[in-house]
Amino acid sequence: MPTPLDDEAGTIRKKWTGRLPVALLYPNLYPVAVSNLGLQLVYGLLNADEDLVCERFVYPDKGAPLRSLESSRPLTDFPLVFASISFEHDYPRLAAMLAAGGIPPLAAERGGRIEPGRPLVLIGGVAMFINPEPLAAFADLVALGEAEAILPQLMVFLKQYAEHSRPELLYRIAVTLDGCYAPALYHFEYGDNGRLQHIRPEQGLPDRVKKAVLEKTRIAGHSGLYSPKAELDMHMVELGRGCSQACRFCAAGYVYRPPRLWPQDAVAQALQHRPEHVRRIGLLGMEMSEGLDTARLAQEVQASGCMLSFSSLRADRLSPQLLSVLGKSELKSAAIAADGASERLRRIINKNIQAQDLLNAAVQLVEAGIFHLKVYVMIGLPSETEADLAEFAELIRSIRAAILPLGRARGRLTTLSLSLNCFVPKAWTPFQYCAFGGLSPEAYSDLRPADQLSLALSSLKEKTRLLRRLLKDEANLHFICDSPEQALEQAVYARADRRIAPVLLARGAGKLSFKMAMKRYIDQARPGFGIWDYALRPRSRDELFPWGVIDHGFSPGYMWQEYSRSMRGLATAACEPERCRRCGVCHADA
C-alpha cells in the first residue's frame, strides 16, 4: 500500500492525544483515492476540527495489510469509521475493507455500544444520495447530501458517542438532522413478488429523509492533497455543483438540484490555493460554465503560468478564450460527449447537442493542438436501433475527414478514440423505469427472464460489432469498449436494495463470480428474481422504489412525466432556479 510522501502538500498529521480518531475509507486504490476531490474535502473538513484526527484508508494492494496512510494504524483503533462512495463497483470493495479491517461488516452485528473494533460506520458520497439501499445493511448512518452541509452539525452528536448506546444515538441524530439516514430505523416490507410495498420509519422519524445541500460558499471546492502517484496530478477546482442541462440519464443532474454555479470570486480564491509546485489546473463542472466569465478565468490561469485540464467539454461551449488557453496548456488529449448515437436519441435523452456541434468541436480542439481526441457515446439507450448507430458511424467519418488535413498540415495526425459505454439506468432519473439493454418491452414479451438477460447482453455486444464493421476502413481509429457483463453488474447495484448485502460480501471476498453470488443469495430465496428483477424488469408509474426513502424535493409524478416526454422525443428546457417551477425542487413551498 502506498504511503503518503513528505512532499504531499496538505497532508494533515496530528497527534492522537485528547482527540477523537476518525477513519476515512475510500474503496479504491491509492492513485484513484487521492484524486477524488470529494474525499479530499471531507478529509479537510474533519481535520480542520481540533477535537478530531482523521486518517485515511484505501483499498490495499494485493497481499498488503489494511492500515491507515498517516500512521499505519489498524481499523480496529477507530470508534468512528467514515466511507466515501462514488461508484457502484466500489460497493463490494467497501464490504471487503470492513471485513479485512477486523470489524463486523454488517451494522446489525456491531452491538449496542460504539467503541473501537465495533465502530459507528457512516457512509456518504454521491452514490449514497442516489440510492443508499445497497449498502444500508453495512451502515449505521448514511449521509444523504453534501458533506459541508452535514458534517459540522453531525460531529456535535458523534463527539458524544460514548455517552449513548448505538440505537439511542442513531435515533437522536435521525430525528434532529437533515441528511442523516439511519437504515436500521426504517423497515422495508416486500410483497410475495419480491417488490417493495411499504417503507415504515420508527415512531417520530420522517417518512422520507431530506437531503442536505450546500447553498453557497465563499471559496469553491479545491484540492488539498497532492501526490505524484495520483491518477489526476493537478490542482482541481469546482466551478459549481449540479448541472442545469437536465440530461435524462444523468443522476448527478437530478440529485444535485438545484444547480449552483459558484461566484467568480469563489473560483478565483480556490485557484489561489494552488501550491507553487503544481502547474496544472483541472476545472470540474464545465457543464456549469454558462454564466461564468470564461474570459476572465482564462486570463487568470494564463497569468499564473499554469496549464489547464478538463474531464470533458461540452461541444457547444468552446469559447475562443478556452481554446486559446488549451492551445497554450500542452494538453494532448480531450474528450467530447455525444452521449446519444443519433440526433433522435439525443432528443430522447434531452442532450441538446447537434451533429454539427460535435463536428465543429472536434475541428476546434485539433486546431488548438489536441493529438488524441476521444468521443464518448452510450449504447443500449431506450429505443436505440441500427439506424441510430449508422448515423453515429457517419458522424465519426465526418470528423475523421475534417481533422485529417489539419494533422497532415502540422506533421502529426490526431488519433481518434471511440469510447462505447453501455447505458445503465440509474435511480432518481427519468430512466429509472427502463430496462437495461435498450430493447423495447415488446422484444422481451415472450421470453423467460433468463432469455431476456441473454438477449440484452447479446444485443449490446452486437451493437459494438456493428460499429466496428461500419468503421473498419477508417485509419487511426481506436475503440474503447465497455464490458456488457460488468455494466450488468453495475445496473443491478444501481437499483438494488438492502437484500443485496450477502452478494456484496461474497464479491468483496472474491469467493464467487457476480452471477454465482446472485444465484446463491438471491435466486435461491426467490427463484427468477435476482438479476432480471433488479436490472431488466421495467418499472411502472406508481411503483414504490427503495431509493424513495430520500426526499430530493421533486414533485410527485415528475420523473414519470419526464420519462413519458422522453419516449415522445420531447425536449425539456434547462433548469432556471430563479423562476422555474417544473420539477418542484427549487420552489417546493411556493
Side-chain angles (χ1 to χ4, degrees):
M1 181 187 298
T3 300
L5 304 177
D6 289 339
D7 62 353
E8 284 182 334
T11 298
I12 302 170
R13 304 184 186 194
K14 295 192 215 172
K15 293 180 180 180
W16 277 43
T17 306
R19 294 188 172 96
L20 174 61
V22 180
L24 180 57
L25 278 59
Y26 193 82
N28 214 312
L29 298 175
Y30 178 80
V32 178
V34 78
S35 300
N36 185 274
L37 184 57
L39 183 77
Q40 293 194 34
L41 293 177
V42 172
Y43 183 68
L45 279 170
L46 293 172
N47 275 312
D49 187 331
E50 286 302 317
D51 295 331
L52 307 176
V53 56
C54 176
E55 298 196 1
R56 295 165 295 160
F57 290 74
V58 299
Y59 193 73
D61 292 327
K62 189 174 182 179
L66 182 68
R67 293 288 187 270
S68 73
L69 296 179
E70 282 72 16
S71 64
S72 196
R73 292 178 182 267
L75 196 57
T76 49
D77 282 359
F78 296 80
L80 301 180
V81 172
F82 293 2
S84 180
I85 308 291
S86 302
F87 308 104
E88 290 89 354
H89 284 301
D90 288 341
Y91 295 172
R93 284 191 282 264
L94 177 63
M97 289 179 74
L98 294 174
I103 66 174
L106 298 177
E109 299 174 351
R110 294 187 199 122
R113 183 179 176 185
I114 300 169
E115 59 188 347
R118 295 184 179 273
L120 182 144
V121 175
L122 168 73
I123 306 179
V126 64
M128 290 300 93
F129 59 104
I130 297 173
N131 179 13
E133 282 306 297
L135 289 175
F138 302 90
D140 293 295
L141 274 175
V142 179
L144 302 181
E146 298 167 33
E148 300 95 334
I150 296 173
L151 283 180
Q153 296 179 77
L154 176 59
M155 292 314 301
V156 174
F157 285 84
L158 294 186
K159 288 176 185 179
Q160 303 168 17
Y161 78 89
E163 301 173 17
H164 306 281
S165 69
R166 189 185 307 268
E168 180 187 4
L169 181 61
L170 294 178
Y171 186 88
R172 286 167 58 89
I173 292 170
V175 80
T176 306
L177 301 180
D178 286 343
C180 293
Y181 169 46
L185 304 182
Y186 286 76
H187 306 285
F188 288 61
E189 299 174 5
Y190 297 87
D192 293 338
N193 60 3
R195 296 174 195 171
L196 184 61
Q197 301 297 309
H198 303 285
I199 303 175
R200 301 194 188 280
E202 295 197 357
Q203 186 174 4
L205 295 181
D207 291 338
R208 306 171 72 208
V209 182
K210 187 177 180 180
K211 72 174 178 185
V213 171
L214 177 67
E215 296 182 359
K216 58 185 178 180
T217 185
R218 187 175 57 84
I219 302 176
H222 58 276
S223 298
L225 295 169
Y226 308 89
S227 170
K229 296 179 181 178
E231 190 176 69
L232 302 175
D233 186 15
M234 61 183 70
H235 181 65
M236 295 177 285
V237 175
E238 285 186 329
L239 299 181
R241 289 187 187 167
C243 178
S244 63
Q245 298 306 301
C247 294
R248 292 171 175 135
F249 62 87
C250 178
Y254 289 90
V255 302
Y256 277 108
R257 288 191 183 187
R260 288 141 289 154
L261 179 68
W262 299 143
Q264 190 86 34
D265 289 343
V267 174
Q269 287 196 53
L271 290 171
Q272 293 170 9
H273 279 72
R274 173 188 59 84
E276 185 64 31
H277 71 280
V278 177
R279 308 303 300 170
R280 185 168 290 280
I281 293 171
L283 298 180
L284 307 182
M286 280 303 292
E287 60 274 9
M288 297 292 294
S289 63
E290 190 172 26
L292 195 70
D293 187 348
T294 53
R296 175 183 163 188
L297 183 62
Q299 290 172 358
E300 290 173 351
V301 172
Q302 284 182 294
S304 68
C306 288
M307 297 174 285
L308 206 54
S309 287
F310 306 93
S311 55
S312 66
L313 296 161
R314 274 189 62 92
D316 57 348
R317 299 253 181 98
L318 293 180
S319 68
Q321 294 85 3
L322 283 178
L323 289 167
S324 174
V325 175
L326 283 176
K328 298 174 182 177
S329 292
E330 302 177 13
L331 192 65
K332 304 303 180 188
S333 63
I336 52 177
D339 289 322
S342 67
E343 293 198 359
R344 182 188 74 85
L345 284 176
R346 288 192 287 276
R347 286 194 298 274
I348 284 175
I349 65 178
N350 210 43
K351 179 88 172 183
N352 187 27
I353 297 287
Q354 307 297 314
Q356 191 62 47
D357 295 326
L358 295 162
L359 179 60
N360 291 343
V363 170
Q364 291 173 320
L365 288 168
V366 173
E367 288 177 336
I370 294 299
F371 293 113
H372 182 194
L373 183 65
K374 181 189 290 186
V375 180
Y376 176 100
V377 71
M378 288 180 285
I379 58 173
L381 285 166
S383 81
E384 186 176 70
T385 66
E386 289 189 2
D388 297 309
L389 299 178
E391 184 177 323
F392 181 69
E394 184 58 37
L395 170 64
I396 295 304
R397 282 192 285 267
S398 298
I399 290 175
R400 288 280 301 119
I403 66 175
L404 186 60
L406 300 176
R408 285 175 175 164
R410 71 183 176 196
R412 180 177 174 182
L413 299 180
T414 294
T415 299
L416 185 60
S417 293
L418 304 188
S419 179
L420 306 183
N421 301 267
C422 299
F423 163 67
V424 172
K426 294 294 182 77
W428 285 113
T429 71
F431 288 164
Q432 65 188 357
Y433 303 97
C434 295
F436 171 77
L439 298 179
S440 66
E442 291 76 21
Y444 290 139
S445 58
D446 298 328
L447 298 178
R448 298 176 305 150
D451 295 328
Q452 292 182 22
L453 174 59
S454 296
L455 180 60
L457 292 173
S458 62
S459 171
L460 291 170
K461 292 173 183 176
E462 177 52 37
K463 288 175 178 178
T464 297
R465 288 192 290 266
L466 173 61
L467 282 172
R468 287 185 181 275
R469 288 196 301 271
L470 291 172
L471 294 167
K472 63 182 175 64
D473 295 328
E474 297 295 320
N476 214 31
L477 178 65
H478 299 280
F479 282 80
I480 305 169
C481 300
D482 205 5
S483 162
E485 286 81 7
Q486 290 185 2
L488 175 64
E489 183 174 359
Q490 182 187 3
V492 167
Y493 298 158
R495 290 187 288 184
D497 50 47
R498 59 184 66 184
R499 294 174 295 180
I500 205 80
V503 175
L504 300 179
L505 278 170
R507 293 287 290 138
K511 295 178 179 179
L512 296 172
S513 69
F514 167 65
K515 287 186 177 180
M516 287 301 296
M518 289 295 294
K519 184 176 181 179
R520 174 175 297 184
Y521 295 109
I522 306 295
D523 281 341
Q524 186 173 335
R526 296 177 296 281
F529 178 75
I531 293 176
W532 173 82
D533 196 86
Y534 284 132
L536 269 77
R537 178 179 63 80
R539 272 65 174 170
S540 63
R541 174 178 183 167
D542 298 321
E543 182 168 346
L544 178 61
F545 298 131
W547 51 90
V549 73
I550 311 172
D551 181 5
H552 280 293
F554 291 102
S555 301
Y558 178 75
M559 290 296 174
W560 181 264
Q561 174 188 325
E562 273 298 290
Y563 173 66
S564 300
R565 289 177 63 83
S566 75
M567 293 299 101
R568 302 198 304 273
L570 300 177
T572 295
C575 293
E576 297 179 286
E578 295 79 11
R579 57 180 179 175
C580 166
R581 283 169 167 73
R582 284 190 304 271
C583 74
V585 172
C586 298
H587 298 278
D589 300 324

